[in-house]
Amino acid sequence: MSAPDHIVFVTGRLARPRLEKIAASLPETFRWSIADAGVKVAALMTEEIIKRRVAMPEGASRIVLPGRCRANPEALAAHFGLPVERGPDEIVDLPAWLGLAGRSLDLSGYDVRIFSEIVDASKMTPDQIRAKGLDLARRGADVIDLGGLPDTPFPHLEASVRALKDAGLRVSVDSFSRDELARGAKAGADFLLSLNEDTLDLAFETDAVPVLVPTRPEDLPSLDRAIARMLKAGKPFLADPILEPIHHGFVDSVARYRDTRARWPDIEMMMGTGNLTELTEADSLGVTALLMGMCSELAIRNVLIVQVSNHTRRTVEEHDAARRVMHAAKADAALPKGYGRALLALHDKRPFVQTPEEIAQAAADVRDPNYRIAVAEDGIHVYNRDIHRVGTDAMAFFPDLDVRSDGAHAFYLGAELAKAETAWRLGKRYVQDEPLEWGCAADAVDEDTTAFKKAGHTKHSGPDAPPRITRDARAPEADASPPETVTDTQARAETDPAPAPRGERIVCGRLVPSDGA
């Protein structure tokens, strides 16, 4: 029988009380130790500090670093001879990160294919279409759809199809013109959108897979007849009952998707989501999540998306994120909750990672003039060794901040406080010196998680001024205390009626006399 997993959480002095509180709430089946390196801020620990100041308790099986610690896990794993992982950025997320939410967070899988339409392809050159197609593919599209415009010639259709195919992309052609569809198929298009029972003969003249639609959106029997003909011929196809806009048959069209799936349980289907995302002036992320949930329930494994309106500029990324969340939730037979923050743009599920009391305690421990900014349910907190102010208006803090003669510092604090106010008003997480997270609504900032950020222009207001901007600009070990390791046994003993003998404590996994005992 193998020994139970024994996790060692490496941390710093300021974060340790909160980490102890969270760790003590873990089920008793978890064995853990907290290795306090003695430095104030865990995020500023380097590999050398950890190697020099942290000792592993006996029986340790793996090490978890703070999410913002820039030490290299591989280098530390080689040093300690144990697996090393980077944990969550926020301590409150530790139980979910450990899998205590009842599921693991794996969003690598999906079963929905995204067709992304270039609506004005006939007005673009083949080179422009190729560049656009590669960009859409980078964002998450699987098939690039060339949209034809009514009464607009598309003489370079064949060249455009070949340009996309030569770039390694799959291509569909979408047109009301039978001639354009035939030309696109002959040039190598993989799919044709959209054929009904009146134009279905084209499906038998090409190897391109047709997307079948009813002759009119409400004429579902015409779609059934086209499906039956394709099944009888043994040819592949997709069926799309057509999603209608709100107040123009939306609810009835949703029912048609349900009815089509009920009558044809094994066919491949498509849903064109643009009639809702484009034609509803609401943030498209929630609309997309709902539609992708419908697709997941009905096993619709193809979506046609379009981006024309500015408010849908991230529609590819939104569909990509939603298909991954819905796939994972369906595999777990679970609600689409607890699968990351990609579908949360404006608000966070747990926006405030510290209570006002925890921030007050942190403020009481500060001994330097560097300003810290935090956000809790009661507002924005700004503190250093001299002040601790709480408010909800970023500009109102200025009279209390000693920055009148330091323009660069004032600029920095103004930007950070404005960001903090935005986070507080929306209910988003705020972390000083880090950008706000907008889910899939904006690209995340790429960063090297093993290296510290470079100093910015607002580090000081003159060549000889001391570093004052960052939360802890001094060397991490400037006021370090002796390292200490606290085990789960010790933490639980603190609430036991028979405490450990006075004058002893656990240090690096060993019971030793306390200082001054």
Side-chain angles (χ1 to χ4, degrees):
M1 188 175 188
S2 60
D5 194 20
H6 183 161
I7 306 172
V8 178
F9 300 108
V10 179
T11 191
R13 214 165 64 235
L14 290 179
R16 174 179 157 182
R18 295 172 57 220
L19 180 56
E20 283 185 353
K21 182 179 178 180
I22 293 293
S25 70
L26 298 176
E28 293 196 3
T29 52
F30 273 83
R31 288 210 60 204
W32 54 266
S33 298
I34 294 175
D36 179 353
V39 301
K40 182 183 291 186
V41 181
L44 299 181
M45 292 187 299
T46 64
E47 291 165 32
E48 290 307 315
I49 289 176
I50 295 173
K51 290 177 183 178
R52 187 172 63 252
R53 298 184 63 87
V54 173
M56 290 298 114
E58 184 177 351
S61 57
R62 60 176 169 139
I63 303 168
V64 176
L65 303 176
R68 295 192 179 91
C69 176
R70 289 312 187 238
N72 188 329
E74 293 182 1
L76 291 175
H79 173 80
F80 289 111
L82 294 171
V84 179
E85 306 167 72
R86 195 181 303 281
D89 285 351
E90 301 296 345
I91 294 173
V92 295
D93 296 327
L94 189 58
W97 184 84
L98 291 169
L100 297 180
R103 62 180 70 97
S104 59
L105 184 60
D106 180 8
L107 299 179
S108 61
Y110 56 87
D111 59 359
V112 174
R113 183 166 44 194
I114 295 175
F115 289 65
S116 186
E117 183 177 1
I118 302 176
V119 294
D120 52 354
S122 59
K123 297 181 178 180
M124 300 169 64
T125 68
D127 286 343
Q128 291 172 330
I129 289 172
R130 180 181 184 276
K132 179 68 172 179
L134 288 171
D135 180 62
L136 292 171
R138 177 188 62 82
R139 295 171 180 268
D142 302 293
V143 181
I144 307 305
D145 182 61
L146 296 179
L149 297 174
D151 302 320
T152 303
F154 200 162
H156 52 291
L157 172 61
E158 291 87 347
S160 300
V161 171
R162 287 192 291 269
L164 292 172
K165 295 293 289 184
D166 289 345
L169 301 173
R170 304 190 77 186
V171 184
S172 61
V173 174
D174 188 356
S175 176
F176 291 110
S177 167
R178 191 183 190 283
D179 176 64
E180 285 184 349
L181 291 172
R183 289 167 52 207
K186 187 175 181 180
D190 302 282
F191 301 90
L192 297 180
L193 284 71
S194 302
L195 302 182
N196 58 42
E197 66 175 341
D198 295 334
T199 58
L200 193 56
D201 288 345
L202 183 59
F204 296 87
E205 301 171 9
T206 174
D207 292 330
V209 176
V211 177
L212 310 181
V213 297
T215 53
R216 298 182 309 280
E218 68 277 8
D219 187 5
L220 204 54
S222 68
L223 178 61
D224 289 333
R225 291 190 292 270
I227 291 171
R229 184 178 174 189
M230 294 299 292
L231 288 174
K232 183 177 181 180
K235 293 183 69 65
F237 65 92
L238 312 177
D240 183 357
I242 305 297
L243 187 71
E244 296 280 68
I246 293 173
H247 297 151
H248 289 76
F250 167 63
V251 173
D252 287 341
S253 68
V254 170
R256 289 197 292 269
Y257 281 92
R258 179 203 59 198
D259 294 345
T260 299
R261 174 53 76 205
R263 285 197 296 275
W264 308 98
D266 299 321
I267 67 170
E268 289 295 330
M269 293 179 65
M270 169 182 278
M271 177 183 286
T273 60
N275 274 347
L276 217 62
T277 57
E278 286 284 323
L279 302 180
T280 306
E281 287 194 359
D283 290 331
S284 58
L285 180 52
V287 176
T288 297
L290 179 62
L291 292 177
M292 294 303 287
M294 292 181 184
C295 289
S296 183
E297 281 202 4
L298 296 174
I300 297 173
R301 290 184 283 266
N302 302 271
V303 291
L304 174 65
I305 69 175
V306 60
Q307 190 272 303
V308 177
S309 302
N310 286 328
H311 79 283
T312 63
R313 68 185 65 193
R314 299 284 293 185
T315 190
V316 180
E317 290 87 346
E318 292 170 3
H319 281 80
D320 181 45
R323 66 176 172 177
R324 295 172 187 273
V325 169
M326 299 303 169
H327 177 76
K330 187 174 184 178
D332 291 336
L335 297 170
K337 297 181 63 176
Y339 290 93
R341 299 161 66 187
L343 300 182
L344 294 172
L346 287 182
H347 315 294
D348 273 316
K349 185 176 180 180
R350 300 188 68 178
F352 308 120
V353 299
Q354 289 179 278
T355 65
E357 294 75 21
E358 288 172 334
I359 296 174
Q361 182 58 56
D365 293 337
V366 170
R367 298 292 181 267
D368 60 70
N370 301 306
Y371 289 109
R372 281 84 165 170
I373 303 172
V375 173
E377 193 166 3
D378 62 339
I380 307 161
H381 292 245
V382 181
Y383 60 92
N384 65 1
R385 69 184 178 192
D386 301 315
I387 69 165
H388 180 189
R389 300 288 185 268
V390 183
T392 59
D393 180 355
M395 303 306 291
F397 287 98
F398 181 76
D400 295 320
L401 305 179
D402 183 19
V403 293
R404 288 175 177 81
S405 61
D406 192 341
H409 199 180
F411 185 90
Y412 163 80
L413 289 174
E416 281 296 319
L417 286 167
K419 186 175 68 178
E421 182 180 340
T422 297
W424 181 78
R425 292 190 181 281
L426 289 177
K428 294 186 66 63
R429 285 192 178 182
Y430 168 83
V431 179
Q432 190 172 350
D433 299 327
E434 299 291 337
L436 297 180
E437 291 190 20
W438 301 100
C440 65
D443 286 335
V445 177
D446 291 330
E447 60 178 333
D448 182 357
T449 58
T450 66
F452 291 103
K453 294 182 179 180
K454 295 180 180 179
H457 295 294
T458 59
K459 268 302 228 190
H460 51 69
S461 57
D464 301 319
R468 301 176 57 201
I469 302 303
T470 58
R471 287 168 288 171
D472 274 275
R474 295 177 299 167
E477 294 184 272
D479 56 356
S481 59
E484 184 174 359
T485 298
V486 178
T487 67
D488 54 347
T489 303
Q490 182 194 22
R492 290 179 179 123
E494 291 178 358
T495 59
D496 194 272
R502 183 177 177 82
E504 295 182 330
R505 61 177 180 156
I506 297 290
V507 177
C508 297
R510 297 188 296 277
L511 192 66
V512 300
S514 294
D515 295 339

